[in-house]
Amino acid sequence: MEIERSEQEIEEFLSRNLEIIEPELKLIRKQYKTKYGIIDILCFDKEGNRVAIEVKKYADTNSPGQLSKYVFALKKEFPNSFIRGILVSSKISNEVMGLCSHFYLNFGELSEVTELMPTIRWPPKISKYEKF
């Protein structure tokens, strides 16, 4: 599905509506700088774990690797914390899903965004993986 919003607009919207991604996420910061790049959205989940969220208009096979670098950077910065990563995109191929699974990352697919972007019509599909 074609989403007619920029990555930055989607990121801004999601940072204000984190419950679309997962209930009870609390924003820490947008555009969090790490040694390996900038995390789009950094949050705490309901268990107090840090969650790095990478927003892609179109996820490709490089996206899970990019997010895994951010998770690695956070693990070095916060060594006693459990860190999660979630990739959010308008389209996630089976290959990208497989790579997310390989890197123990969650993923969410945005089904549709309205023109004015006040809501996402269907919640994203989030795949849950075991903590490691």
Side-chain angles (χ1 to χ4, degrees), residues 6 8 13 15 23 43 52 62 73 87 92 111 116-117 126:
S6 71
Q8 185 177 7
F13 173 74
S15 71
C43 307
N62 293 318
L87 176 64
I92 299 179
S111 298
L116 298 175
M117 208 171 189
I126 299 290

Side-chain angles (χ1 to χ4, degrees), residues 4-59:
E4 298 180 11
R5 298 285 167 211
S6 71
E7 227 171 77
Q8 185 177 7
E9 288 173 310
I10 296 168
E11 177 186 325
E12 183 61 34
F13 173 74
L14 290 174
S15 71
R16 291 190 318 263
N17 298 279
L18 292 169
E19 71 281 354
I20 290 171
I21 300 170
E22 184 175 294
E24 300 183 49
L25 288 176
K26 303 282 188 243
L27 181 67
I28 298 172
R29 185 173 180 170
K30 296 183 294 183
Q31 300 294 302
Y32 186 85
K33 291 183 174 127
T34 73
K35 177 180 178 179
Y36 300 107
I38 299 172
I39 297 169
D40 292 333
I41 304 169
L42 183 61
C43 307
F44 284 119
D45 67 13
K46 66 182 179 182
E47 296 171 359
N49 301 312
R50 285 175 179 81
V51 181
I53 300 172
E54 181 63 21
V55 177
K56 293 289 187 192
K57 189 169 181 175
Y58 306 107

